């Protein structure tokens, strides 16, 4: 009997979930049956976070209560503040992985098999609220700067920008980053989610599961892609140069980062919205990205007919994050903020 392996677990059922799903042929993905793109267009990050936790969108009162609940959870425990000074010399995702482990140990998180649903929700809220503080503080410490404390009057996206830069963020940048964060909260059984689910299926503690997920997210073919897509924009100078670069990259058998997706056989809906967000932000980098995208898609269609290689979320993610003032080394940690 001959068996074959399905690349990327394509068509293989490994679990069931009501949280979200991707319909690649349709160019659509949802969070609890709500279009993720429509949520990013119309809702706040906190509203969508509430949806993931409570399986429904909040009304005005519930939204205010939820924001008040998570705001104080942004502060790092004292044990983590002490440890972060030594950890911050490492690469950003290595630091985050270690910090999550310290946070779970300091808080005394036990196996999920032995705790109630309410306890697990409380742990998840603390972790989700603390990760932006961790990645921003680690970034500043690595630069020799003092960390900037989170503010209770700012939302999740605005706080991240505030803690990274120490400057009052512009509303347009806050909204652009918020839309990026909403679009990357979930994406079906992606590699990092799969890693977390495998670990948590053993009844392990939440910190262990998220440490595994962060390890998977750190890979260049997963969370590390946005910065590499932006590296490509640095190397090319206009459409003609982009076409020549793509031909050389394909001939060498290398990947064109920011283009193509295993699941989508049409436009990546995340990229479509982020393209609009980038246009609204404007600037020379955005203009260049639009020109390069057209040249790369056209060239890939010629070199790989029938492959439907359009831009994926990573291409415009880097453009948008850069326009929001996020340094390149913080692209993947910012992805981790939403995916956590």
């Amino acid at each position: 009997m001959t068996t074959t392996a399905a690349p990327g677990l394509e068509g293989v059922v490994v679990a069931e979930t009501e949280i979200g799903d991707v319909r690649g042929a349709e160019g659509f993905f949802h969070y609890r049956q709500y279009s993720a793109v429509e949520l990013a267009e119309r809702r706040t990050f906190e509203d969508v976070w509430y949806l993931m936790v409570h399986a429904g969108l909040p009304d005005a009162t519930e939204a205010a209560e939820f924001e008040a609940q998570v705001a104080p959870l942004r502060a790092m425990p004292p044990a983590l503040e002490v440890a972060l000074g030594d950890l911050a010399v490492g690469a950003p995702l290595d630091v985050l992985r270690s910090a999550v482990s310290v946070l779970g140990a300091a808080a005394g998180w036990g196996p999920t098999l032995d705790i109630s649903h309410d306890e697990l929700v409380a742990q998840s809220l603390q972790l989700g609220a603390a990760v932006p503080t961790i990645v921003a503080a680690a970034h500043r410490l690595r630069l020799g700067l003092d960390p900037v404390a989170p503010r209770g009057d700012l939302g999740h996206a605005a706080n991240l920008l505030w803690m990274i830069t120490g400057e009052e963020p512009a509303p347009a940048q806050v909204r652009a980053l918020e839309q990026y964060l909403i679009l990357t909260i979930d994406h079906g059984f992606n590699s990092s989610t799969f890693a977390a689910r495998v670990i948590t299926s053993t009844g392990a503690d939440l910190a262990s599961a998220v440490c595994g997920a962060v390890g998977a997210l750190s890979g260049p073919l997963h969370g590390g892609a946005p910065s590499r897509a932006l590296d490509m924009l640095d190397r090319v100078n206009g459409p003609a140069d982009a076409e020549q670069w793509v031909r050389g990259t394909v001939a060498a058998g290398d990947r064109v980062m920011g283009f193509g997706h295993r699941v989508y056989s049409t436009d990546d809906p995340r990229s479509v919205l982020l393209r609009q967000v980038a246009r609204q932000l404007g600037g020379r980098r955005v203009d260049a990205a639009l020109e390069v995208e057209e040249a790369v898609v056209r060239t890939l269609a010629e070199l790989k007919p029938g492959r439907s290689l359009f831009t994926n979320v990573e291409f415009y993610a880097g453009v948008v994050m850069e326009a929001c003032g996020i340094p390149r080394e913080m692209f993947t940690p910012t992805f981790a903020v939403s995916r956590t």
Side-chain angles (χ1 to χ4, degrees):
M1 179 180 178
T2 302
T3 59
T4 57
L9 296 179
E10 184 174 357
V12 178
V13 177
V14 294
E16 294 180 347
T17 179
E18 297 178 352
I19 292 175
D21 190 25
V22 182
R23 302 170 192 163
E26 303 172 34
F28 174 83
F29 72 114
H30 72 83
Y31 301 156
R32 295 194 181 278
Q33 301 304 318
Y34 289 90
S35 163
V37 171
E38 289 184 6
L39 290 170
E41 290 174 333
R42 303 174 184 176
R43 289 285 189 159
T44 66
F45 182 88
E46 284 81 0
D47 282 353
V48 183
W49 189 1
Y50 183 100
L51 170 67
M52 303 303 272
V53 175
H54 296 293
L57 286 169
D59 59 26
T61 300
E62 290 168 333
E65 291 175 347
F66 185 74
E67 290 171 12
Q69 180 183 10
V70 299
L73 301 178
R74 294 177 181 136
M76 289 186 290
L80 180 54
E81 285 188 337
V82 172
L84 199 60
D86 293 328
L87 294 174
V89 296
L93 265 290
D94 294 342
V95 174
L96 177 59
R97 188 180 65 242
S98 299
V100 168
S101 184
V102 172
L103 175 60
W109 291 351
T112 58
L113 189 67
D114 301 331
I115 64 176
S116 69
H117 173 74
D118 288 345
E119 288 177 290
L120 182 56
V121 168
Q123 291 177 7
S124 76
L125 292 179
Q126 181 180 3
L127 187 59
V131 163
T133 309
I134 292 169
V135 299
H139 170 70
R140 291 182 65 86
L141 287 168
R142 195 163 49 251
L143 297 178
L145 303 172
D146 291 332
V148 175
R151 285 168 43 181
D153 63 318
L154 296 179
H156 208 65
N159 247 310
L160 180 59
L161 289 174
W162 161 251
M163 291 187 293
I164 289 174
T165 65
E167 299 176 357
E168 193 78 28
Q173 293 177 322
V174 171
R175 183 55 185 158
L177 178 60
E178 183 170 51
Q179 289 181 295
Y180 165 75
L181 292 174
I182 292 172
L183 287 173
T184 51
I185 283 178
D186 184 63
H187 203 247
F189 242 161
N190 57 86
S191 297
S192 52
T193 298
F194 183 73
R197 283 291 298 266
V198 169
I199 295 170
T200 202
S201 71
T202 70
D205 65 281
L206 179 64
S208 293
V210 175
C211 283
V214 172
L217 192 70
S218 68
L221 300 184
H222 191 10
S227 60
R228 297 193 177 213
L230 206 60
D231 290 343
M232 182 268 286
L233 284 176
D234 289 340
R235 286 194 292 267
V236 302
N237 184 24
D241 193 19
E243 179 178 341
Q244 182 180 3
W245 179 84
V246 170
R247 291 184 185 280
T249 300
V250 172
D254 296 331
R255 294 175 181 268
V256 181
M257 303 301 281
F259 291 82
H261 195 278
R262 174 172 290 282
V263 177
Y264 291 115
S265 54
T266 182
D267 284 315
D268 184 334
R270 301 167 299 174
S271 180
V272 173
L273 180 55
L274 286 178
R275 184 190 298 119
Q276 296 174 13
V277 172
R279 280 197 175 108
Q280 291 168 359
L281 291 170
R284 291 184 178 179
R285 172 74 88 178
V286 174
D287 293 339
L290 293 168
E291 291 181 346
V292 167
E293 177 193 13
E294 182 179 347
V296 172
V297 169
R298 183 179 63 249
T299 306
L300 287 173
E302 174 194 333
L303 298 176
K304 295 179 177 291
R307 287 286 303 277
S308 301
L309 297 174
F310 302 105
T311 48
N312 56 41
V313 67
E314 284 84 13
F315 184 76
Y316 280 106
V319 174
V320 168
M321 282 190 277
E322 183 184 59
C324 289
I326 296 176
R328 199 166 304 191
E329 62 271 21
M330 287 294 289
F331 286 179
T332 307
T334 300
F335 186 7
V337 165
S338 62
R339 189 56 57 85
T340 300

